[in-house]
Amino acid sequence: MATQVYDIVTAKAGPYIAGIKLTPGQTTITLTPEQAGYELAQGTILATGAPGPSTPEPAPVLAADRVELKRAGLATRPTAAEFAGFVQQRGVRINRYAADIALSADDKGAIAIVTNAAARVVTLPADWAEGETVTVRRGGAGAVTWALGAGATIVLPASKAAHVGIAEQHAEAVFTVLSNAGNAAVWGVSGATT
């Protein structure tokens, strides 16, 4: 990660620059461009043009790593695994549709319930990112089938190669983007298909 040396404008700087505590008499600081952006805008530092030492990329987050959070001004330090568990406990968004739908960003990670007595079509877009999912539930008596947006494809097991819809009322299918090179999402589907 590239860094640069910046002069500290002592008259404007407080005890911290970009979250780093300054030592008495410190006149320069080494920051990444991301760290320096706000401070440059505030006028607390000036670019010198001198490159700083390269900093190594941080290692991937491990389940045992601690995350520092502030609540009511007090620090708490859950592990990354505890924090992930908390995030996963949040309620799942439920979107209800009675007409044909083209899935949008609002449907990512949600349950889309399609409820109608007539047949409806759910279009899978080509621009969702790898790993993004949606659960589609057939809430009404009408058939729910899927279509592919321009550039999107779907892969199915050989035994389900002819499947194009959700099997029956109150059944659901989970659609997941398996890969995407640009606007060419490759979707996978699991669940009650027909």
Side-chain angles (χ1 to χ4, degrees):
M1 199 177 282
T3 62
Q4 185 175 340
V5 176
Y6 296 88
D7 285 329
I8 298 171
V9 180
T10 309
K12 290 187 176 182
Y16 292 88
I17 295 285
I20 300 169
K21 185 163 178 54
L22 302 177
T23 59
Q26 183 176 348
T27 59
T28 62
I29 190 166
T30 302
L31 302 170
T32 66
E34 292 81 15
Q35 291 173 312
Y38 175 79
E39 299 296 343
L40 284 168
Q42 295 300 309
T44 57
I45 59 173
L46 298 173
T48 65
S54 289
T55 57
E57 290 290 328
V61 174
L62 302 175
D65 287 348
R66 296 242 172 231
V67 179
E68 185 164 319
L69 305 170
K70 296 274 186 179
R71 184 168 185 223
L74 301 173
T76 181
R77 297 193 46 158
T79 65
E82 291 167 339
F83 184 67
F86 167 76
V87 171
Q88 290 174 346
Q89 288 176 7
R90 291 184 13 202
V92 174
R93 189 174 57 260
I94 295 180
N95 298 334
R96 299 178 192 282
Y97 300 99
D100 293 346
I101 60 165
L103 295 172
S104 69
D106 216 31
D107 297 304
K108 293 177 182 179
I111 297 174
I113 300 176
V114 181
T115 305
N116 202 300
R120 293 294 175 236
V121 177
V122 175
T123 302
L124 305 171
D127 62 349
W128 282 23
E130 182 176 313
E132 292 182 320
T133 66
V134 61
T135 300
V136 178
R137 183 175 182 87
R138 181 174 161 184
V144 175
T145 59
W146 60 77
L148 299 168
T153 57
I154 194 164
V155 292
L156 295 162
S159 64
K160 295 184 175 188
H163 288 200
V164 295
I166 298 174
E168 59 188 327
Q169 187 174 7
H170 307 303
E172 57 189 35
V174 177
F175 295 89
T176 304
V177 177
L178 305 175
S179 65
N180 195 343
N183 282 332
V186 177
W187 289 89
V189 61
S190 61
T193 62
T194 186

